[in-house]
């Protein structure tokens, strides 16, 4: 006696591939960049300090021209202010550049009240106004040495009767020596109180005035001998 088992589902045929899979290997290239040290250029500027600078003219000054005896000149009351910038430190040279504001700069005129010649006051009405046009230079605070470029016009007048064209004076006012052909002077460096004596010889050229050219013997030399005080009250 036999029996058959019938299944309603057809047989499942599975086909296995015998092909070997291709292995793909990705190569990762690691490139090493050398550490390049670039040169970094840095410019270190010197640190500068800016100050206020004050200038005063004092008594016991002198002004001379040609071969005439010097005028004894009391310049008390002269003032001026400006800026001072430190430009060098160390090496025993604390060097400062100074520039004075012309609008604040005042130098007293030569009159009978401020000036004597041969021991006598100037004649009444005679007046010499000093109008600065340039005042700047350098100061070594440690040594006290002073060198200041100075340019000014000197206006001679006698009341309302006579007024000459200005004499232009250009020199370096220094605490050292100033020498010309017929004129010379020696200054004094800044002391602890800021006082100094500044001297400068200049050549005065002829002007458009026959009387002044003849009277003063232009061209000729003049000498400024100023007692002054220079101070640095505050830093900015």
């Amino acid at each position: 006696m036999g029996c058959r088992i019938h299944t309603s589902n057809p047989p499942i045929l599975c086909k296995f591939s015998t092909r070997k899979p291709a292995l793909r290997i990705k190569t990762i290239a690691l490139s090493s960049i050398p550490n390049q040290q670039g040169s970094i250029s840095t410019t270190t500027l010197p640190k500068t300090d800016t100050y206020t600078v004050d200038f005063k003219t004092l008594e016991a000054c002198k002004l001379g021209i040609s071969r005439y005896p010097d005028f004894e000149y009391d310049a008390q009351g002269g003032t001026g202010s400006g800026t001072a910038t430190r430009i060098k430190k160390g090496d025993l040279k604390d060097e400062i550049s100074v520039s004075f504001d012309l609008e604040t700069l005042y130098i007293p005129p030569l009159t009978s009240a401020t000036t004597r010649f041969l021991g006598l006051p100037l004649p009444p009405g005679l007046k010499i106004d000093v109008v600065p046009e340039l005042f700047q230079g350098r100061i070594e605070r440690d040594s006290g040495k002073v060198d200041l470029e100075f340019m000014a016009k000197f206006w001679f007048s006698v009341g309302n009767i006579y007024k000459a064209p200005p004499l232009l004076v250009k020199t370096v006012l220094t605490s050292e020596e100033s020498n010309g052909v017929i004129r010379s002077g020696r200054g004094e460096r800044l002391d602890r109180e800021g006082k100094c004596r500044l001297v400068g010889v200049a050549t005065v050229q002829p002007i458009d005035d026959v009387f002044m050219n003849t009277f003063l013997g232009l061209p000729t030399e003049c000498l400024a001998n100023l007692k002054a005080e220079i101070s640095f009250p505050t830093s900015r």
Side-chain angles (χ1 to χ4, degrees):
M1 183 174 170
C3 65
R4 292 181 179 180
I5 300 175
H6 296 277
T7 60
S8 60
N9 296 325
I12 300 174
L13 298 179
C14 295
K15 185 178 181 180
F16 295 94
S17 174
T18 60
R19 183 180 178 182
K20 294 182 180 181
L23 297 179
R24 295 182 180 180
I25 300 175
K26 292 184 178 180
T27 302
I28 301 176
L30 299 178
S31 61
S32 175
I33 300 176
N35 184 18
Q36 297 179 350
Q37 294 181 350
S39 59
I40 301 175
S41 176
T42 58
T43 303
T44 303
L45 297 176
K47 185 178 180 180
T48 59
D49 298 323
T50 301
Y51 299 88
T52 297
V53 56
D54 289 340
F55 178 81
K56 295 180 181 179
T57 52
L58 307 175
E59 74 289 345
C61 301
K62 292 182 179 181
L63 293 175
I65 189 166
S66 189
R67 298 185 183 276
Y68 290 106
D70 291 341
F71 292 89
E72 297 175 10
Y73 173 43
D74 183 353
Q76 286 188 93
T79 59
S81 63
T83 57
T85 304
R86 180 174 294 168
I87 57 177
K88 187 173 183 180
K89 296 181 180 180
D91 300 332
L92 299 179
K93 290 184 179 180
D94 189 2
E95 193 169 349
I96 293 175
S97 173
V98 297
S99 179
F100 291 94
D101 184 357
L102 296 179
E103 293 184 358
T104 68
L105 195 57
Y106 167 74
I107 298 178
L110 283 73
T111 64
S112 59
T114 63
T115 310
R116 302 177 74 87
F117 182 70
L118 296 176
L120 299 175
L122 289 184
L126 177 59
K127 183 179 181 182
I128 305 173
D129 287 302
V130 183
V131 182
E133 295 195 338
L134 177 70
F135 198 33
Q136 63 184 23
R138 295 191 176 188
I139 299 173
E140 292 179 7
R141 292 186 66 181
D142 291 335
S143 67
K145 181 181 178 181
V146 181
D147 287 308
L148 299 175
E149 295 178 70
F150 178 73
M151 184 168 66
K153 288 182 177 179
F154 286 67
W155 295 84
F156 285 72
S157 62
V158 181
N160 296 324
I161 302 173
Y162 171 75
K163 186 173 184 178
L167 298 176
L168 182 63
V169 173
K170 184 177 181 180
T171 187
V172 174
L173 293 175
T174 179
S175 59
E176 310 306 295
E177 290 187 20
S178 183
N179 297 304
V181 177
I182 63 174
R183 286 284 185 173
S184 63
R186 177 186 290 272
E188 298 172 3
R189 294 190 175 190
L190 286 169
D191 61 18
R192 293 182 179 274
E193 297 178 348
K195 292 183 173 60
C196 62
R197 184 171 293 278
L198 304 177
V199 298
V201 175
T203 299
V204 183
Q205 298 297 335
I207 58 176
D208 189 17
D209 189 294
V210 176
F211 171 74
M212 288 294 292
N213 290 342
T214 304
F215 179 68
L216 297 177
L218 302 180
T220 190
E221 290 179 350
C222 69
L223 170 67
N225 186 323
L226 298 177
K227 187 177 180 181
E229 179 180 327
I230 300 174
S231 59
F232 303 86
T234 58
S235 61
R236 292 180 178 179

